[in-house]
Amino acid sequence: MAVNPYTSTLVSSSLSSKPYNPTIRFIAIKPTKPSRKASINCAALQSSPLLHFPHTINREQQESHHPLQWNLLQRAAATALDMFEGALVSRETENPFPKTSDPRVQISGNFAPVPEQAVKHNLPVSGSIPDCINGVYVRNGANPLFEPVAGHHLFDGDGMVHAVNIDGNSVSYSCKLTETNRLIQEREMGRPVFPKAIGELHGHSGVARLALFYARSLLGLVDHSKGMGVANAGLVYFNNRLLAMSEDDLPYQIRITPSSDIETVGRYDFSEKHMSTMIAHPKLDPVTGEMFALSYDVVKKPYLKYFKFSKDGGKSPDVEIPLDVPTMMHDFAITENFVVVPDQQVVFKLQEMIKGGSPVIYDKDKKSRFGILPKNAETSDDMIWVESPETFCFHLWNAWEEPESNEVVVIGSCMTPPDSIFNECDENLKSVLSEIRINLKTRRSTKRSILQESEQVNLEAGMVNRDKLGRKTQFAYLAIAEPWPKVSGFAKVDLTTGEIKKFFYGDERYGGEPFFLPSGRNSQREDDGYILSFVHDENTWKSELQIINAMTMLMEASVKLPSRVPYGFHGTFISSKDLAEQAQY
């Protein structure tokens, strides 16, 4: 195996009880051979050794790096708070971190961050890129600017957008961090100061970290009034704007320049029409051009709100959806006439931190259910709630109506244990592609696995043909998430028959979300299109963009990329026509 050139000084909490400092020795993580088996060790990251933080500065530099505009009182307060944080870090590292918040695990190998890359043109192409692929493929991901000082979860990293611009066989690549409010401030301070919602906010140390942050805020050392989000998850192109989002903030507008570079325009509030957080997976109706979204709050009621945007960006009033407790809601679905809201058993309970636990928990006493609400609803009075026992879908791939049976059909991957992404567990993770039928008349639901038992594999991250979103679809294209959380290939699944066709990237090659790009709107076949996916070779430590024909499941072309692309989250494609019409602000 090729040596990973990216190195780190991450402290092993199981080897040292000393606080983070610049002299700590390198930590290697043993690589393991990929497996095709469905039994996967929960939360285990099996990666090449060593990682690198190109922007990291050492502790002495951090403690003396105070922005020039601070007055003497602020500088003294900052020094005192830094000393308190040093003592907190020392105490945190006395015991091993769980795998779900251990930086050596969460951002090892090709999950590790990379530096920004200026545009590289004329990249090598093998095969021939189909003529219909003309524009830019963009994909988001977590890419922490600074080395974690304590706990860190993969989802905590700063957002980075990777862009491959295609014009015939002329291809370019670049990647840039999204200039969020927190990133700008942390870069100025030379260190991470904003709390990491998943990796750090556990137990009493999590309470202390929140207190530390708000003390800095009260003293004017940091400003969280313009948001605390990382914008590292979803990407959507709407109303001539590319929006990067994570559900802890407003979206950020990103612009692809004429030279194929990436720039952050800024935090986007839809012309001051929307001022709250927004879910990372808004839905675009392919027929009406409208965008539908949710917003959830983990502290105060209403815990959940629904709203929509007209195709020109006009926003509807918020519809407050009453919930007893704040629910972790990463995704939802739409049909032709309804929105489908999952109210499941993974919830936020901040009081658990006082007891020494995680604020994100599996509540076994809560009943999972789906809410069906008309798209044009002005209140939640017409919401129909239907229970779906023991159902947790991190992602919903599609939904549609079947009026003849009064049913709404929901397609999602049901994950067990439900909170395994957030909390360490001994049970093997399973992600089962499922069909859930919700009867609007009887208010009952049924659930079945779409694949036969002999064909079961973990399927997570993917999509249907987005030109058919909200309508009945035959196929879904989903990542084969094995060995979890790596992706060894993708599957094309017939949602009616359960037939599955698999495409594997090859030995020691792993990818991410398979993005389906239709050949054109006039095609008679739903699967007439191409799968785009970033693939990383852990033998050579090189990355490429692969383009696979979705009908034949054969590779059409691959683009050799000039630098490593970490395993990331979600992406989209913007046509050259839409690129030319991008809004400037």
Side-chain angles (χ1 to χ4, degrees), residues 218-439:
L218 286 171
L219 291 164
L221 306 178
V222 293
D223 178 11
H224 67 279
S225 65
K226 297 181 179 65
M228 298 170 58
V230 288
N232 66 13
L235 287 172
V236 64
Y237 190 78
F238 174 69
N239 192 26
N240 297 328
R241 292 171 175 86
L242 176 61
L243 303 177
M245 59 198 72
S246 52
E247 50 246 43
D248 51 1
D249 204 342
L250 288 170
Y252 276 80
Q253 182 183 344
I254 306 297
R255 184 170 174 269
I256 307 299
T257 71
S259 65
S260 302
D261 205 353
I262 307 165
E263 62 182 24
T264 303
V265 177
R267 196 163 175 249
Y268 188 63
D269 59 11
F270 298 88
S271 301
E272 299 183 349
K273 296 169 187 161
H274 181 69
M275 303 303 293
S276 62
T277 62
M278 183 167 157
I279 201 166
H281 289 289
K283 304 301 179 186
L284 295 178
D285 190 301
V287 177
T288 67
E290 296 171 299
M291 183 167 75
F292 302 86
L294 300 174
S295 171
Y296 66 80
D297 195 297
V298 303
V299 177
K300 64 182 186 298
K301 292 184 176 182
Y303 294 130
L304 184 64
K305 295 183 292 188
Y306 157 72
F307 46 92
K308 68 173 184 174
F309 299 91
S310 63
K311 64 180 180 181
D312 59 0
K315 181 180 177 293
S316 72
D318 291 341
V319 175
E320 297 183 2
I321 300 175
L323 298 178
D324 293 333
V325 294
T327 299
M328 200 291 295
M329 203 169 296
H330 182 68
D331 202 358
F332 72 112
I334 62 170
T335 69
E336 186 174 355
N337 296 293
F338 300 108
V339 290
V340 181
V341 179
D343 179 25
Q344 302 172 128
Q345 292 170 286
V346 177
V347 300
F348 296 95
K349 288 192 176 180
L350 300 185
Q351 60 268 31
E352 291 295 318
M353 294 170 63
I354 306 297
K355 301 176 183 178
S358 167
V360 184
I361 67 166
Y362 168 62
D363 184 352
K364 61 181 176 55
D365 296 323
K366 186 181 181 212
K367 294 182 179 179
S368 293
R369 59 181 184 167
F370 286 93
I372 311 298
L373 182 70
K375 280 180 172 177
N376 296 322
E378 296 181 356
T379 72
S380 62
D381 293 345
D382 293 328
M383 174 80 84
I384 295 175
W385 288 109
V386 178
E387 290 184 7
S388 180
E390 303 301 319
T391 299
F392 175 74
C393 296
F394 196 58
H395 292 106
L396 300 177
W397 310 122
N398 199 17
W400 62 80
E401 301 157 34
E402 294 191 354
E404 62 277 8
S405 60
N406 290 308
E407 289 180 316
V408 169
V409 179
V410 181
I411 305 296
S413 291
C414 293
M415 185 179 291
T416 55
D419 62 339
S420 56
I421 294 177
F422 306 103
N423 297 304
E424 188 169 5
C425 61
D426 297 324
E427 186 179 346
N428 290 336
L429 181 138
K430 292 182 67 176
S431 185
V432 178
L433 181 62
S434 302
E435 176 193 86
I436 302 153
R437 288 185 167 267
I438 300 166
N439 192 298

Side-chain angles (χ1 to χ4, degrees), residues 9-285:
T9 55
L10 285 178
V11 61
S12 168
S13 56
S14 61
L15 298 176
S16 173
S17 61
K18 297 180 181 179
Y20 168 80
N21 68 68
T23 62
I24 293 170
R25 58 187 175 275
F26 293 129
I27 300 297
I29 298 174
K30 184 179 179 181
T32 59
K33 192 77 171 176
S35 169
R36 300 276 188 249
K37 295 181 179 179
S39 178
I40 296 162
N41 186 14
C42 175
L45 285 170
Q46 303 155 341
S47 302
S48 302
L50 310 179
L51 49 138
H52 169 63
F53 287 82
H55 301 280
T56 300
I57 60 178
N58 66 40
R59 194 68 170 175
E60 285 78 7
Q61 288 174 313
Q62 289 175 355
E63 291 174 349
S64 63
H65 187 91
H66 293 161
L68 295 176
Q69 69 270 25
W70 287 355
N71 59 39
L72 290 176
L73 177 62
Q74 287 175 314
R75 289 169 182 264
T79 299
L81 292 172
D82 289 349
M83 291 177 63
F84 174 79
E85 183 178 23
L88 178 63
V89 170
S90 178
R91 182 171 181 177
E92 283 183 291
T93 54
E94 287 178 356
N95 299 305
F97 289 111
K99 290 187 179 71
T100 50
S101 61
D102 188 342
R104 301 176 312 141
V105 176
Q106 289 292 307
I107 45 177
S108 64
N110 195 44
F111 289 94
V114 293
E116 295 180 315
Q117 292 289 336
V119 184
K120 298 291 194 327
H121 295 283
N122 302 315
L123 301 181
V125 176
S126 299
S128 180
I129 297 176
D131 293 338
C132 64
I133 303 179
N134 194 299
V136 61
Y137 171 58
V138 283
R139 199 220 62 197
N140 213 343
N143 199 89
L145 174 64
F146 291 107
E147 184 170 334
V149 297
H152 182 92
H153 187 280
L154 175 65
F155 294 173
D156 290 329
D158 299 295
M160 174 175 273
V161 174
H162 301 259
V164 177
N165 203 316
I166 300 172
D167 183 6
N169 267 16
S170 176
V171 185
S172 63
Y173 167 82
S174 63
C175 65
K176 289 289 177 65
L177 288 161
T178 298
E179 299 287 322
T180 61
N181 175 53
R182 69 184 288 156
L183 181 105
I184 291 170
Q185 292 186 63
E186 290 186 341
R187 180 183 282 140
E188 182 182 14
M189 296 179 71
R191 57 183 303 232
V193 290
F194 282 72
K196 294 175 179 176
I198 305 176
E200 288 184 341
L201 301 187
H202 288 194
H204 300 132
S205 65
V207 175
R209 285 200 168 275
L210 281 177
L212 178 67
F213 176 76
Y214 284 107
R216 285 175 169 143
S217 180
L218 286 171
L219 291 164
L221 306 178
V222 293
D223 178 11
H224 67 279
S225 65
K226 297 181 179 65
M228 298 170 58
V230 288
N232 66 13
L235 287 172
V236 64
Y237 190 78
F238 174 69
N239 192 26
N240 297 328
R241 292 171 175 86
L242 176 61
L243 303 177
M245 59 198 72
S246 52
E247 50 246 43
D248 51 1
D249 204 342
L250 288 170
Y252 276 80
Q253 182 183 344
I254 306 297
R255 184 170 174 269
I256 307 299
T257 71
S259 65
S260 302
D261 205 353
I262 307 165
E263 62 182 24
T264 303
V265 177
R267 196 163 175 249
Y268 188 63
D269 59 11
F270 298 88
S271 301
E272 299 183 349
K273 296 169 187 161
H274 181 69
M275 303 303 293
S276 62
T277 62
M278 183 167 157
I279 201 166
H281 289 289
K283 304 301 179 186
L284 295 178
D285 190 301

